[in-house]
C-alpha cells in the first residue's frame, strides 16, 4: 500500500499578529542614519492618521498615564533608540481577537517589550537586555491596510538582565571591583522605559495641546498670537452652540430651503400664467411668497448659526397695476377673457387717440411691457 506521509500541523497566525511581526521587522531595519523621514514613513505604514498611543505605568511618585497623537508617535519610537537602545521588538503570547464593525481589537495579556541596550556610560557592560512586561491592546482598522488606530500599553513589571560573564569579570579587577559592582546594580531604565523616553513623554504633555496651533500656523502662516485667538474663538463657538447643531446646520445649507410652500398651495391650482414678468398686486404679502434662505460662508473652519441667516425677498412697485398694462397690450396677443385682465385702475380712455397724449405716455412709462 501507499506510505502515509505525516503532515505538518499548520500553525494559526492571525492577520493582526502578522502586522505586529511586520512592525518588528521594520524596527530591525532601522540604522543609525535613519532620519525623521524614515520614522514618518514608519508611522504612516503602521498607524492611522488619527491614531493615539497610550502608556500607563507606575513610578516612585505614583501612577502615570501619557497619551500622544499621531504626529508625536514617530518621535516616541525614535526616543527609545536615542536612549541607548540598539534593538526593539514586541513578543506576544496568548492573544485574543475581537471583531467590530470597522475594526479588530488584539488583546494580549502577556506582552513583553524587549530592548537591547548598548554599552552604557561608566560601565564595561557590553550589552544588557530589558524585558518590559505588561498588557498590550491594539485596535486595527478592518481594511486593506490594517493600520493601528489605538495603541495602549499597560506596564506591570520589568527585568534588566546582565550577562553572567560581565559579573565574573568584575571580580578580576581588584582596584575597581566595588565601583563596577555598584554601577551594575543601578537600573538603566525606570519601569523598562529609558530616561530619554520619559523626558519626551513629559514634553508631550505640553506639545499635545499645541498641535492645533502648530498645524494652523503651518497652514495659514499666522502669527502665534493670531493662531491662539482663532483657535480659542472656534472652541468658544463649539461650546456655545447647542448640541447637535453643528451636525444639522451644514447639510441644510447645501440646498436652498423654500419656506411657505405649503401656505401657497392654493396658488398652485391657479391657471397657467404667461411668461411675461408682472409685479405683485396691491394685496402683496410676504407670507404668500416663496422665501429663500442662503447659508453664510464658513470662516476659518467655523460655521454660523440660524441667527446669522439672511432673508432674500423680492419687492417691487406696489402702486403699479399690472392689469392696466396687459389690457393696453391686448392687441399683442392677449384676449379680453384672459385671467390676467382686470379692472383698469388708471381709467385710460381706449376710445381716444393712441398718439402722444399724456395718458398714453404715462402708461407707457410706467408699464414694463413692450408694445408689439
Amino acid at each position: 500500500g501507499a506510505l502515509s506521509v505525516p503532515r505538518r500541523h499548520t500553525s494559526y497566525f492571525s492577520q493582526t499578529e502578522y502586522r505586529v511581526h511586520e512592525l518588528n521587522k521594520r524596527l530591525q531595519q532601522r540604522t543609525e542614519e535613519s532620519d525623521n523621514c524614515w520614522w514618518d514613513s514608519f508611522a504612516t505604514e503602521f498607524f492611522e492618521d488619527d491614531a493615539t498611543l497610550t502608556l500607563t505605568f507606575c513610578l516612585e511618585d505614583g501612577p502615570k498615564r501619557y497619551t500622544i497623537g499621531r504626529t508625536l508617535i514617530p518621535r516616541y519610537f525614535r526616543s527609545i533608540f536615542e536612549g541607548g537602545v540598539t534593538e526593539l521588538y514586541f513578543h506576544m503570547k496568548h492573544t485574543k481577537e475581537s471583531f467590530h464593525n470597522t475594526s479588530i481589537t488584539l488583546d494580549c495579556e502577556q506582552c513583553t517589550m524587549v530592548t537591547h541596550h548598548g554599552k552604557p556610560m561608566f560601565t564595561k557592560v557590553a550589552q544588557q537586555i530589558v524585558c518590559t512586561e505588561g498588557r498590550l491592546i491594539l485596535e486595527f482598522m478592518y481594511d486593506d491596510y490594517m493600520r493601528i488606530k489605538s495603541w495602549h500599553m499597560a506596564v506591570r513589571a520589568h527585568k534588566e538582565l546582565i550577562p553572567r560573564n560581565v559579573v565574573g569579570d568584575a571580580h578580576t579587577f581588584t582596584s575597581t571591583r566595588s565601583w563596577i559592582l555598584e554601577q551594575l546594580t543601578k537600573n538603566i531604565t525606570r519601569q523598562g522605559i529609558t530616561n530619554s523616553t520619559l523626558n519626551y513623554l513629559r514634553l508631550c504633555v505640553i506639545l499635545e495641546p499645541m498641535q492645533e496651533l502648530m498645524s494652523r500656523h503651518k497652514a495659514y502662516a499666522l502669527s502665534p498670537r493670531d493662531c491662539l485667538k482663532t483657535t480659542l474663538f472656534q472652541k468658544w463657538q463649539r461650546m456655545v452652540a447647542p448640541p447637535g447643531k453643528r451636525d444639522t446646520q451644514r447639510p441644510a445649507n447645501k440646498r436652498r430651503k423654500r419656506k411657505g410652500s405649503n401656505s401657497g398651495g392654493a396658488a398652485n391650482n391657479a391657471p397657467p400664467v404667461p411668461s411675461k414678468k408682472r409685479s405683485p398686486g396691491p394685496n402683496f404679502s410676504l407670507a404668500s411668497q416663496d422665501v429663500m434662505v442662503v447659508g453664510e460662508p464658513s470662516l476659518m473652519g467655523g460655521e454660523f448659526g440660524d441667527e446669522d441667516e439672511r432673508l432674500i425677498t423680492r419687492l417691487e412697485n406696489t402702486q403699479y397695476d399690472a392689469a392696466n398694462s396687459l389690457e393696453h397690450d391686448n392687441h399683442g396677443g392677449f384676449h379680453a377673457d384672459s385671467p390676467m385682465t382686470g379692472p383698469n385702475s388708471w381709467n385710460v380712455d381706449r376710445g381716444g387717440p393712441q398718439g402722444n397724449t399724456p395718458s398714453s405716455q404715462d402708461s407707457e412709462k410706467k408699464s414694463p411691457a413692450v408694445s408689439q
Side-chain angles (χ1 to χ4, degrees):
L3 296 176
S4 59
V5 180
R7 296 181 179 179
R8 292 185 59 186
H9 177 67
T10 57
S11 59
Y12 174 73
F13 200 62
S14 66
Q15 194 171 2
T16 54
E17 291 179 307
Y18 182 71
R19 287 295 290 168
V20 177
H21 173 69
E22 288 182 334
L23 186 141
N24 290 332
K25 288 180 60 178
R26 183 72 70 242
L27 289 174
Q28 291 177 0
Q29 297 174 3
R30 183 209 66 91
T31 60
E32 296 295 334
E33 290 77 20
S34 298
D35 54 359
N36 290 333
C37 295
W38 190 94
W39 287 107
D40 288 337
S41 62
F42 163 78
T44 304
E45 181 180 358
F46 294 100
F47 290 90
E48 287 287 330
D49 295 337
D50 57 345
T52 58
L53 187 146
T54 303
L55 287 177
T56 57
F57 49 89
C58 188
L59 296 180
E60 297 82 2
D61 54 348
K64 305 293 181 181
R65 180 186 180 93
Y66 296 97
T67 300
I68 60 178
R70 165 65 179 80
T71 55
L72 301 178
I73 290 178
R75 184 68 181 176
Y76 161 75
F77 283 96
R78 186 174 183 178
S79 67
I80 297 176
F81 290 92
E82 289 177 348
V85 175
T86 58
E87 187 175 352
L88 165 66
Y89 59 91
F90 296 88
H91 179 67
M92 297 186 300
K93 294 167 55 177
H94 307 298
T95 60
K96 297 179 182 179
E97 282 187 346
S98 58
F99 293 83
H100 307 283
N101 293 332
T102 58
S103 62
I104 305 176
T105 301
L106 179 67
D107 191 351
C108 181
E109 283 283 354
Q110 300 181 17
C111 176
T112 304
M113 183 179 71
V114 183
T115 54
H116 292 238
H117 295 252
K119 181 183 296 185
M121 194 176 297
F122 305 119
T123 63
K124 297 183 180 299
V125 179
Q127 190 179 54
Q128 298 185 50
I129 300 176
V130 179
C131 299
T132 307
E133 302 173 354
R135 180 181 181 181
L136 180 62
I137 303 176
L138 302 178
E139 182 183 358
F140 293 85
M141 292 303 297
Y142 192 48
D143 53 13
D144 296 335
Y145 299 101
M146 290 287 294
R147 295 191 298 181
I148 300 173
K149 183 178 178 61
S150 174
W151 174 300
H152 188 182
M153 179 74 176
V155 179
R156 287 193 297 261
H158 80 291
K159 300 177 183 178
E160 298 187 2
L161 309 178
I162 302 175
R164 185 184 295 272
N165 59 345
V166 176
V167 180
D169 293 340
H171 292 280
T172 59
F173 299 96
T174 56
S175 58
T176 59
R177 180 186 307 172
S178 59
W179 180 79
I180 295 177
L181 291 177
E182 182 182 357
Q183 293 296 320
L184 291 176
T185 55
K186 292 182 178 180
N187 291 338
I188 59 176
T189 63
R190 300 177 64 185
Q191 283 294 101
I193 303 173
T194 60
N195 288 328
S196 62
T197 304
L198 278 176
N199 294 333
Y200 176 70
L201 292 176
R202 295 190 185 102
L203 184 62
C204 287
V205 177
I206 304 174
L207 291 177
E208 186 64 32
M210 295 178 61
Q211 289 302 304
E212 188 174 357
L213 298 177
M214 290 186 287
S215 61
R216 191 180 301 276
H217 170 71
K218 185 176 181 181
Y220 302 103
L222 298 175
S223 63
R225 185 181 297 274
D226 293 337
C227 291
L228 182 60
K229 286 182 179 179
T230 54
T231 303
L232 291 177
F233 177 71
Q234 290 186 0
K235 287 184 178 296
W236 174 81
Q237 277 188 325
R238 290 194 290 265
M239 292 172 59
V240 172
K245 183 177 180 181
R246 299 185 72 248
D247 298 335
T248 58
Q249 176 71 15
R250 197 61 182 175
N253 288 339
K254 290 182 179 179
R255 180 176 296 180
R256 291 182 177 181
K257 296 182 293 185
R258 299 179 65 88
K259 296 183 179 179
S261 58
N262 296 333
S263 62
N268 297 334
N269 300 327
V273 180
S275 59
K276 188 170 290 188
K277 181 178 179 182
R278 75 181 178 97
S279 303
N283 296 328
F284 171 79
S285 64
L286 287 177
S288 62
Q289 300 296 319
D290 292 338
V291 179
M292 297 183 180
V293 179
V294 189
E296 289 284 349
S298 60
L299 175 64
M300 298 292 288
E303 297 177 0
F304 292 90
D306 291 334
E307 65 275 4
D308 296 298
E309 292 181 346
R310 306 294 190 262
L311 297 181
I312 296 180
T313 59
R314 187 177 66 186
L315 298 178
E316 297 186 9
N317 187 6
T318 57
Q319 298 179 356
Y320 165 70
D321 189 2
N324 178 28
S325 173
L326 295 176
E327 289 185 359
H328 179 70
D329 295 336
N330 193 20
H331 63 279
F334 293 101
H335 300 284
D337 57 350
S338 172
M340 295 296 296
T341 60
N344 190 356
S345 60
W346 293 95
N347 298 323
V348 178
D349 187 7
R350 294 186 210 134
Q354 299 297 326
N356 293 332
T357 61
S359 61
S360 63
Q361 289 178 357
D362 241 354
S363 62
E364 287 179 1
K365 288 181 181 179
K366 295 183 180 180
S367 172
V370 179
S371 300
Q372 301 293 329

